[in-house]
Structure formats: C-alpha cells, structure tokens
Amino acid sequence: MKKSLSLLLLLLLLLPLFSLFSCAESGENTETAGAASGDGSEAETKEFFPAVERKDYGAEFNMIGYVSPGQWYYADELTQEVLNDAVYDMNMRVADHLGIEFYYEQMYEVNGHELVDKVLPTVESGDDSYQMCILHPYYGYNSIIGKNAAYDFYDLTSLDLDQSYWNREVIDSLAINGHAYIALGDLCKYTLNIIYANKNRLTDAQREMPYDSVRNGTWTMDEFYGLTKDLYVDLDGDGKRTNSDMYGFAGLWDANGASMLQAADIYVATRNEEDQFTISLEGDRLIDFYDGLYTWSKDESVFLWDFASAMSNTGTLSFLDNRSVFTLNPLGTSYLSADFDVGMLPLPKYDAEQEKYRHVNWGNNIVVPTTISDELLVGDVLELMAFYSQTIVQEAYYDTVLQYKVSNAPADREMVQLIYHNVVYDPGIAFCDGVPSLNSLVYVACFGIRQNTPKLTSYLKSNVKSAQKSLDKLFKTKS
C-alpha cells in the first residue's frame, strides 16, 4: 500500500473517524482547557496517544497471516465497507506517522502449519522477511518457539503493555522463563464464542432475555441451563428427536463448547510456584462444572452435533431456521440475515461468586520473528496498530456485527462490548499443537460430552501425565 494514495478520498469517506482522533495525530498527549468550574478552577481533559514519536523510517513492514485483507490487520484500498475502511484508516495513520509502507501476505490454510513452514526457513537463513506473524490459537507455537525463532515482546521497548489495548494478563500468563514470545490484544482478530438467543421464541415461551442478570453479575450456567429446558417440541410427530424438531438449544459442539471451560474460570494449564505451567484440571469445581454440563447435554431440549456433521451438513439445525431458542457460535455476522430478533449474551459464569465473565480467544495471537533488524521500528508499529485497533477498528467491528442496530438494540451492543473486554486465554491451548494428550484436555468439555463420558476420572488419567511432560519441555529448551 503506497503512502501516495489519495488522502482526500480518505478524508471524505472517513471524516467522522478523523475528527474523533485529530488531536491525537501529533503523537503527543494533549491538554485542552475546559470551562471554568464554579470555584474558579479550570477543568482539564487529556486525550491519550501512545508515546511513539513521529518518524520517517522509510521502511517496509511485512505481515503474514491467514486473515483476508479488509477483515482486520490490513486493507489495500477503500471499499466503502465499514470494517475494511476502518482497517485501511488504521494502516494509513500508522504509515503516515512512522513513514513506512505496509505489505501483507495471506496464507491459505490446509493443515494449519503453512505459515510457520513459510516463516521458519527465512529465520534460519537470517533474513528479516517478516516483522509480524499472525497465528492461529495453537498451530505453530511449539515449532517457532522451540526453534528459537520468536522474539521476546518484553524486549520491544516501544510497547506499553500496561495500556488497555494490550492484554497484559494473557501475555504474562504465556511467558516462558521470563520471555514473552506470544502477544495478544486489540490488535488481534479474536474468535470469541457467545450465546445467541432467538428473542421471538424466548418471548413465546414467556421467558426474558437475561440482560439484567448479566449486568448484575448473576448470569450463571444454572440460569442458562434453566432457560433452555422444557422447550422441546416434536414438530413432525414421529416420536424421535431429529433436526426437524424445535429445541431450547441447538448447535455445533466443538471449540465453541470447549470454551465453556474457561468461561467457568477453569483452565487446562496454570502457573505453579516455580512459575512453570502445570495441568490444573482437578478439584470439585471441575467435577461440578462437568457434571452440570453433561446433565444439560442429555436434556431433550438440547440438540448437539459434531464437526464432521457440520462439514457434511447432515443432522444439523441452523439457528436461522427459527427452530431453536439458543445457540453457541463465534461473535460475528452469521445471523444478520435472520427474519427474527437475535440477541447476544456472554458465556455464563460458573456461579455468581466468580469475579468476571470470561471468553477464551480461539482466534489470532501474534509472534515476531527473531530476525527483525530494527526492534524500535517493530515496537512502534505494533504499539500504534494496537492503539488504533482499539479506537478505530474495534468500533467499526461493533457496528459491523450489529449492522447499525445500535439504536434499537442498545443492550446487545452493551453485551458485545462486555464480551470483547473480558478476553482470556489458556496456556494449554497455546501449546497443544502436536501433543494429542494436551489437545484432549483442551477439548475436555467438547470431547467428553460428544463421547458420552459421564465421569472424567479415566479421561483425565489417560491424558494428564503425558500432557504435563510436553509442558515441562518448554522450560527446558528455553532459557
């Protein structure tokens, strides 16, 4: 993307966004005098801008990922599509502030390892070919970190990881021997699984959207289970539960179902006293969580199918068919075409005592190759991209997801923002690639239900020891 692209066109199409952030473009924190208060003092307001000075690097910044242009990180032209043009705006602002040109290489997924297979040879040869790698939630991290090909984000001095557009909690949770090789924040295109509700069917059942419960912090798994019960209707009268009937909940049960684990504040791996990863799937909370989920899955009002059925489109029931009250799917635009009112809800908590709602990211994280030649440039670019992703791209994403329905669905926009501001991750997910035992634990809330496993004891016993060994190796190979 060339800097010489018409700024006039950009101004005309994106004037509201430009006016919102025009004070920030100087690269400095600005102070604006407000109206005098009653006691004669002067109120001051500050507009935040990252501590990244304007520069003219005269360099390229090369990104590689699976995401299509215009969907988050990069857009090469204006299309008058909201999200694409916001991404383009973000690119242009960063490029102008730092005197760089963005380039993006899109990979096409077959086995999930294509990106790392492309990047590793360039690192091994010492070439500064890519400055940012946009990876899946788990493919490739073991390879790129194990081969000393990942740069330490803690060493990128331009990054202010304590700012809200970085997820410092997650970055720290993934560190190995004090080095942060994986980063997460608003710069990343998240995949966050949420509950969708058919508001019309819910009203017909004389039940209400639990918005107030969400706001009060009392939206729990038990309440969710209760809302889906006693809603089954045998529409074709054949006496069999099929995809021709009506259900309280119907949906694919895969990574989305696995997300219920972290939503309950239960993690596959956490840190022990030695600051290393340890498998943490144990205790009464896990057992109670799984027992409740398993019992719910057997209710006649619940209809689930696996990934193979979804791919072959056999035995499935689309939420758009208007024959299920709830479903579980990634936050996105899948149901904008519905001819009924669609509501959005966060994944429920384990109980009301749980501090926060939690949505584990099954989307992108980022890695920087060790062969970068200018760490200051890379840090500056990432810091500004993260900032503008929060202030420009994220807002456009909300509008895209809700398709400008904010005026008649303010509660749903509120739910989307809550979901987006409660993103977590799990080291077990990050490092399960090529480790079947750890992968099985990551999917415990999915495979256990699909395999009709009423108790977890044998499932855990057959996987925990091997999974722990794979995590221990991470700390032996990295210093």
Side-chain angles (χ1 to χ4, degrees):
M1 182 181 62
K2 302 295 184 181
K3 290 184 290 182
S4 58
L5 290 171
S6 174
L7 291 178
L8 176 59
L9 177 60
L10 183 64
L11 282 167
L12 290 173
L13 290 175
L14 299 171
L15 183 59
L17 289 173
F18 268 73
S19 61
L20 181 60
F21 297 102
S22 59
C23 294
E25 275 298 279
S26 66
E28 301 174 353
N29 290 341
T30 60
E31 296 185 3
T32 304
S37 61
D39 60 3
S41 63
E42 189 175 69
E44 292 186 346
T45 60
K46 292 185 177 180
E47 281 197 44
F48 173 80
F49 189 82
V52 177
E53 296 180 358
R54 183 177 291 277
K55 300 182 179 72
D56 187 8
Y57 282 109
E60 298 176 1
F61 188 86
N62 296 290
M63 301 177 285
I64 183 170
Y66 296 95
V67 179
S68 299
Q71 293 301 303
W72 204 261
Y73 305 92
Y74 174 80
D76 55 7
E77 62 180 352
L78 291 167
T79 64
Q80 299 189 46
E81 191 278 325
V82 174
L83 184 57
N84 176 90
D85 290 358
V87 174
Y88 182 88
D89 183 17
M90 179 266 289
N91 289 158
M92 288 294 292
R93 288 170 184 261
V94 177
D96 177 69
H97 194 85
L98 298 177
I100 64 167
E101 293 182 5
F102 280 105
Y103 291 91
Y104 180 74
E105 181 176 345
Q106 182 182 0
M107 301 297 296
Y108 295 91
E109 181 182 357
V110 176
N111 58 29
H113 295 94
E114 293 83 4
L115 190 150
V116 172
D117 289 344
K118 181 71 177 291
V119 171
L120 278 178
T122 71
V123 175
E124 291 169 353
S125 65
D127 295 334
D128 183 13
S129 300
Y130 303 101
Q131 288 76 55
M132 182 172 75
C133 303
I134 304 158
L135 274 70
H136 278 303
Y138 59 82
Y139 285 129
Y141 298 104
N142 285 336
S143 296
I144 202 165
I145 293 173
K147 294 185 178 180
N148 298 311
Y151 200 88
D152 186 352
F153 281 91
Y154 292 151
D155 289 341
L156 293 174
T157 55
S158 299
L159 301 187
D160 186 352
L161 297 178
D162 292 322
Q163 292 298 331
S164 61
Y165 42 79
W166 292 109
N167 195 324
R168 180 67 183 254
E169 181 179 358
V170 168
I171 293 171
D172 290 346
S173 76
L174 297 174
I176 299 174
N177 293 329
H179 302 287
Y181 301 113
I182 304 171
L184 182 72
D186 292 336
L187 171 56
C188 298
K189 187 178 189 298
Y190 295 147
T191 297
L192 306 174
N193 294 296
I194 72 166
I195 303 295
Y196 286 91
N198 183 327
K199 292 183 178 181
N200 303 71
R201 291 295 184 186
L202 199 60
T203 298
D204 292 343
Q206 298 184 330
R207 300 178 188 185
E208 296 182 356
M209 283 289 289
Y211 292 132
D212 286 339
S213 292
V214 174
R215 297 182 183 109
N216 296 333
T218 58
W219 170 235
T220 65
M221 291 183 173
D222 284 342
E223 183 175 0
F224 169 63
Y225 298 156
L227 279 177
T228 66
K229 289 180 66 69
D230 304 318
L231 296 175
Y232 171 70
V233 180
D234 184 3
L235 291 178
D236 57 11
D238 65 355
K240 300 177 182 179
R241 293 172 66 256
T242 69
N243 62 344
S244 298
D245 298 335
M246 172 81 69
Y247 294 91
F249 180 97
L252 168 70
W253 201 250
D254 201 80
N256 56 348
S259 300
M260 295 290 278
L261 186 72
Q262 290 80 18
D265 199 18
I266 302 171
Y267 294 83
V268 175
T270 53
R271 289 190 179 276
N272 58 22
E273 294 179 353
E274 287 74 38
D275 204 29
Q276 297 187 1
F277 301 139
T278 185
I279 300 297
S280 52
L281 289 176
E282 59 183 5
D284 292 340
R285 187 184 185 94
L286 172 66
I287 299 304
D288 291 344
F289 157 80
Y290 185 80
D291 286 349
L293 191 66
Y294 183 83
T295 300
W296 166 80
S297 72
K298 297 303 175 185
D299 189 275
E300 69 171 359
S301 289
V302 176
F303 186 73
L304 308 176
W305 57 87
D306 61 16
F307 188 74
S309 297
M311 291 297 97
S312 62
N313 196 28
T314 57
T316 65
L317 172 57
S318 172
F319 187 60
L320 293 173
D321 288 343
N322 198 16
R323 285 188 285 108
S324 59
V325 183
F326 294 98
T327 195
L328 174 60
N329 211 37
L331 175 64
T333 59
S334 299
Y335 304 129
L336 290 180
S337 63
D339 57 5
F340 51 85
D341 291 333
V342 177
M344 302 177 184
L345 295 164
L347 294 183
K349 297 180 182 179
Y350 170 77
D351 58 24
E353 284 68 46
Q354 182 176 316
E355 181 182 2
K356 298 178 181 178
Y357 299 100
R358 298 177 181 272
H359 297 85
V360 64
N361 177 38
W362 278 93
N364 302 140
N365 301 306
I366 60 173
V367 167
V368 170
T370 52
T371 45
I372 57 171
S373 58
D374 191 337
E375 70 88 12
L376 185 61
L377 179 152
V378 173
D380 283 350
V381 173
L382 295 182
E383 183 74 0
L384 290 185
M385 287 185 71
F387 169 71
Y388 284 127
S389 291
Q390 180 185 75
T391 53
I392 296 178
V393 179
Q394 197 178 98
E395 288 302 312
Y397 177 69
Y398 295 154
D399 289 339
T400 301
V401 170
L402 296 175
Q403 199 167 315
Y404 301 109
K405 293 181 180 178
V406 103
S407 59
N408 58 16
D412 291 311
R413 186 183 182 94
E414 180 186 351
M415 297 298 107
V416 171
Q417 290 174 316
L418 181 150
I419 290 162
Y420 219 79
H421 294 157
N422 287 277
V423 178
V424 300
Y425 199 47
D426 192 321
I429 298 175
F431 301 110
C432 73
D433 187 21
V435 187
S437 56
L438 186 53
N439 185 76
S440 294
L441 296 180
V442 165
Y443 282 88
V444 63
C446 167
F447 294 162
I449 299 301
R450 287 196 340 212
Q451 295 170 4
N452 196 27
T453 304
K455 300 297 179 183
L456 284 179
T457 304
S458 60
Y459 187 99
L460 295 176
K461 185 177 181 180
S462 61
N463 290 295
V464 168
K465 187 175 181 179
S466 175
Q468 185 61 58
K469 286 183 178 179
S470 71
L471 293 177
D472 292 342
K473 290 179 181 178
L474 292 168
F475 292 85
K476 293 177 180 179
T477 58
K478 300 297 297 182
S479 60

